[in-house]
Amino acid sequence: MLRQLYIKNFTLIDELDIELRPGFSVITGETGAGKSIILGAIGLLLGQRADSKTVKQGADRCVIEAHFDLSKYQLEAFFTENDIDYDATDCIIRRELTAAGKSRAFINDSPVALSQLKELGDMLVDVHSQHQNLLLGKQDFQLEVVDILAKDQELLAAYHSLYSDYHEKQRQLEELREETERNRQHLDFIQFQYEELVNAHLEEEEQDELEQLRETMTHSEDIKTALYEAQTHLSADEQGILSLLRKSLAALRSIATVYPVTQEWTERMDNCQIELKDIAEDVAAQLETVDFDPSELERINQRLDLLYDLQKKYHAEDVAALIRQCEELKRQLSIIENSDETLAALETEIATLQEKCQRQADKITKQRQQAAKEIERQMLERLVTLGMPHVRFEVTLQKKTLRKDGQDDISFLFSANTSSPLQPISQVASGGEIARVMLSLKAMISGAVKLPTIIFDEIDTGVSGKIAERMAEIMQEMGAHDRQVISITHLPQIAALGSTHYHVSKQETPSGTTTQMQLLNMEQRVREVAQMLSGSDITPAAIENAKELLKIEN
């Protein structure tokens, strides 16, 4: 749960460092004092998008930091998966925003992406603001409530896997049908192209070899002349290199006994002689092979012209690309040839997957139906105690075609009295009724999901008196089981039941307006509740009423 909140240079807040406690806490303050600013800061910690305008004017950056105690919530897996240090008793989340618009986020001093911050934030804090009441009319929210109470996550995970396969196979079937139809319309052309490429007998390295051979034949006379000259210089009887080398060796050997240094030279010259003799033989042999054959050159040119024409025709950069094109044409012909069998096999596979999805969806529907009955029971029980004795609340499920979340359309139907028909709740419930319904739903959800911290932003809109007191009692109950519940309220009945009371105020300073938040002691609480009862002019009667609400004996 949230143990400490630090805010610096955020909107109207110069610096705020406040300790927060477990159980049920309340935050009060005049309208415009800055309660929404504190909520906005918490929202940034939970991964909301940042705006550089929220940096306090004149400051270069703002910092928002929170310390959480996670020791009772089994969240270690998130830290392991994201390679972040885990400290169960002191998890530190920090968000920094510069006036230039740059934003950085950290979890236990490790830089993280905003998506990671939001993922962890969703597991730590649920902020219920007034605009969330609009969710009550949305089917996906109603479905989420039912699924949470149905505890059908494992069934849904298995269904999602099956449905994903089913949806993918449907996509493949549609693509195959479209491709088969296109190919059938162009069958003759595809067949012609394929046969043209097959009859070309394409070989991947052939073009390079032919181009080299053509280059050789085109310059055959130059090559023969150069080889002849080289062979002559190497092997001529009197002036050839080999002849002169033999004479040099003979001269050196004649003095080898009287001038030993020549022995090393003769060994080296022997090696040169052997190598030059081999070269001379290779040049002579190669000279015999070089010949100009006009008919062969013509054949080579014709073959290369064919390859060039095919590359241009099929927009291919080389022969390898032509071969790939040929293989693709073969694949298209195979699809056409085997399309009926392939389509039938895929349709059978889809039918099998659809049957599996349907069976899994039926299991989910059954579990949702059971949860719907329990939701109806609990909601009636809670709403009656919240001043709605004739309320009716029903959760209806209507089967639809299979989709990613199952086959059920969920509707929350509501009537505040026996004379009015049941209708979708968003169409008939007043603001005060919706507030009570949402609080009841949140109370149910909090029992099923072990969320560390829940913040209610004026959940008491449209209620007062005993109803407000009962709402506060529900929030007390929610905060009694290793959970932290914080309510921002304008009602003294709710403020008086908080185990901890914070007050937000706005002050004018030489540097501008600033927002502050402080923990109230009992004497301060009495005055704050009295002021909420009577306004700025605190009367003795208001003080007595405040003490009575706070259950303080005189």
Side-chain angles (χ1 to χ4, degrees):
M1 60 187 65
L2 181 56
R3 292 195 300 106
Q4 189 171 1
L5 179 65
Y6 176 79
I7 305 172
K8 184 176 178 63
N9 295 329
F10 181 72
T11 310
L12 297 180
I13 299 175
D14 285 330
E15 189 169 27
L16 172 67
D17 193 354
I18 192 81
E19 179 186 341
L20 296 159
R21 297 178 181 177
F24 176 43
S25 300
V26 294
I27 299 175
T28 62
E30 294 181 3
T31 300
K35 300 184 293 297
S36 61
I37 294 174
I38 294 170
L39 273 184
I42 292 173
L44 287 182
L45 282 177
L46 303 181
Q48 291 180 6
R49 293 289 175 184
D51 185 345
S52 61
K53 294 178 182 178
T54 58
V55 179
K56 187 174 178 63
Q57 190 172 4
D60 60 347
R61 67 170 185 160
C62 74
V63 177
I64 306 163
E65 182 175 288
H67 294 248
F68 289 86
D69 182 351
L70 310 181
S71 55
K72 297 180 180 179
Y73 301 102
Q74 293 81 50
L75 297 177
E76 188 172 0
F78 168 85
F79 293 85
T80 301
E81 290 169 5
N82 290 278
D83 194 24
I84 299 172
D85 291 339
Y86 176 67
D87 185 338
T89 59
D90 189 22
C91 171
I92 305 171
I93 297 179
R94 186 170 77 256
R95 188 84 181 269
E96 297 179 0
L97 178 65
T98 70
K102 292 184 178 179
S103 173
R104 297 194 302 168
F106 303 86
I107 300 175
N108 290 337
D109 287 330
S110 295
V112 295
L114 208 57
S115 58
Q116 293 171 295
L117 193 67
K118 188 177 188 309
E119 183 181 353
L120 180 59
D122 287 343
M123 294 185 282
L124 294 179
V125 182
D126 175 29
V127 178
H128 179 89
S129 57
Q130 289 187 51
H131 78 271
Q132 272 198 313
N133 289 341
L134 299 175
L135 293 174
L136 199 51
K138 297 185 180 296
Q139 279 199 351
D140 53 351
F141 172 76
Q142 296 176 3
L143 180 61
E144 183 181 1
V145 170
V146 173
D147 281 335
I148 289 172
L149 275 297
K151 297 181 179 179
D152 56 7
Q153 284 70 34
E154 290 187 8
L155 288 175
L156 278 169
Y159 175 81
H160 290 157
S161 178
L162 284 170
Y163 184 79
S164 177
D165 291 344
Y166 170 62
H167 188 262
E168 174 61 21
K169 292 298 180 182
Q170 283 185 314
R171 185 192 64 77
Q172 291 178 11
L173 178 63
E174 186 62 28
E175 286 186 357
L176 183 60
R177 282 172 174 164
E178 291 177 358
E179 184 177 10
T180 301
E181 182 60 29
R182 286 195 306 270
N183 290 343
R184 280 176 174 164
Q185 291 174 0
H186 303 92
L187 176 59
D188 291 343
F189 184 56
I190 294 172
Q191 185 71 43
F192 168 77
Q193 287 184 314
Y194 175 67
E195 290 176 358
E196 182 177 44
L197 291 176
V198 167
N199 293 335
H201 303 291
L202 300 170
E203 296 180 17
E204 194 163 327
E205 304 297 332
E206 180 187 17
Q207 183 172 327
D208 290 342
E209 294 173 358
L210 288 175
E211 287 173 341
Q212 181 59 54
L213 189 55
R214 181 177 65 180
E215 192 72 10
T216 298
M217 295 188 71
T218 303
H219 298 86
S220 61
E221 290 302 318
D222 295 336
I223 294 169
K224 287 182 69 172
T225 299
L227 290 176
Y228 178 77
E229 287 183 5
Q231 195 240 5
T232 300
H233 291 314
L234 283 169
S235 305
D237 291 340
E238 294 296 329
Q239 297 300 317
I241 293 172
L242 285 171
S243 177
L244 294 173
L245 185 58
R246 284 193 295 271
K247 292 176 181 178
S248 298
L249 275 169
L252 291 175
R253 285 182 178 132
S254 68
I255 61 172
T257 55
V258 295
Y259 196 52
V261 72
T262 60
Q263 291 180 3
E264 180 187 351
W265 298 345
T266 56
E267 289 176 4
R268 290 165 63 186
M269 291 173 70
D270 267 334
N271 291 332
C272 291
Q273 183 183 30
I274 294 170
E275 184 67 20
L276 287 169
K277 185 177 180 182
D278 286 344
I279 292 172
E281 291 173 355
D282 289 343
V283 169
Q286 198 66 31
L287 182 60
E288 295 297 323
T289 65
V290 177
D291 194 13
F292 177 70
D293 184 348
S295 61
E296 178 63 11
L297 181 59
E298 182 180 2
R299 185 194 69 79
I300 291 171
N301 283 329
Q302 288 176 347
R303 180 63 178 172
L304 284 172
D305 287 343
L306 173 63
L307 296 179
Y308 295 150
D309 289 344
L310 290 173
Q311 288 172 48
K312 182 178 180 181
K313 179 178 181 179
Y314 291 95
H315 306 287
E317 59 183 13
D318 51 28
V319 174
L322 285 173
I323 292 172
R324 289 194 297 271
Q325 181 72 10
C326 183
E327 291 170 350
E328 172 60 20
L329 292 167
K330 182 179 180 181
R331 186 190 71 83
Q332 292 176 13
L333 290 171
S334 176
I335 289 174
I336 297 171
E337 183 179 351
N338 302 306
S339 59
D340 291 341
E341 294 85 348
T342 305
L343 288 169
L346 197 50
E347 286 168 350
T348 300
E349 191 175 357
I350 289 171
T352 301
L353 282 169
Q354 183 179 22
E355 185 179 346
K356 289 180 178 179
C357 284
Q358 187 64 59
R359 287 200 299 267
Q360 191 69 13
D362 288 341
K363 292 178 184 178
I364 294 169
T365 296
K366 184 176 180 181
Q367 203 147 323
R368 285 171 174 169
Q369 288 170 338
Q370 293 171 351
K373 290 184 174 63
E374 180 61 19
I375 291 171
E376 291 172 353
R377 185 191 69 77
Q378 287 197 41
M379 287 297 291
L380 289 174
E381 184 179 295
R382 293 175 187 276
L383 292 173
V384 166
T385 64
L386 287 172
M388 303 169 70
H390 304 297
V391 69
R392 287 181 292 159
F393 187 93
E394 286 187 12
V395 181
T396 64
L397 281 77
Q398 288 187 320
K399 283 189 177 181
K400 299 295 181 182
T401 55
L402 294 174
R403 54 195 181 197
K404 64 180 181 180
D405 55 15
Q407 61 182 346
D408 305 307
D409 271 350
I410 303 289
S411 293
F412 286 177
L413 303 181
F414 175 85
S415 174
N417 51 69
T418 54
S419 61
S420 300
L422 284 164
Q423 295 185 59
I425 189 167
S426 61
Q427 297 178 15
V428 295
S430 67
E433 289 166 346
I434 284 180
R436 283 174 273 179
V437 169
M438 285 300 288
L439 178 61
S440 300
L441 287 173
K442 291 280 184 175
M444 278 196 306
I445 292 170
S446 69
V449 179
K450 207 168 184 181
L451 194 68
T453 300
I454 302 175
I455 300 175
F456 290 107
D457 182 16
E458 300 184 6
I459 187 71
D460 48 34
T461 299
V463 300
S464 60
K466 295 294 291 183
I467 304 305
E469 186 176 346
R470 179 53 189 145
M471 292 178 76
E473 289 170 354
I474 291 174
M475 286 186 274
Q476 269 187 331
E477 293 167 9
M478 292 170 66
H481 305 287
D482 294 329
R483 190 177 292 108
Q484 181 183 49
V485 177
I486 300 171
S487 177
I488 296 174
T489 183
H490 287 292
L491 296 181
Q493 294 86 353
I494 291 179
L497 288 183
S499 56
T500 309
H501 190 155
Y502 301 93
H503 183 256
V504 177
S505 60
K506 189 164 58 175
Q507 294 183 354
E508 296 296 332
T509 69
S511 59
T513 305
T514 64
T515 291
Q516 296 180 338
M517 179 175 172
Q518 69 175 108
L519 173 65
L520 301 183
N521 60 32
M522 187 53 72
E523 183 180 348
Q524 292 167 325
R525 289 192 70 179
V526 171
R527 292 192 63 80
E528 174 67 10
V529 173
Q531 189 172 31
M532 296 173 77
L533 286 164
S534 64
S536 57
D537 186 13
I538 301 176
T539 64
I543 293 289
E544 290 304 313
N545 286 340
K547 288 181 178 180
E548 185 178 347
L549 285 174
L550 289 163
K551 297 180 172 57
I552 299 174
E553 296 181 3
N554 290 321

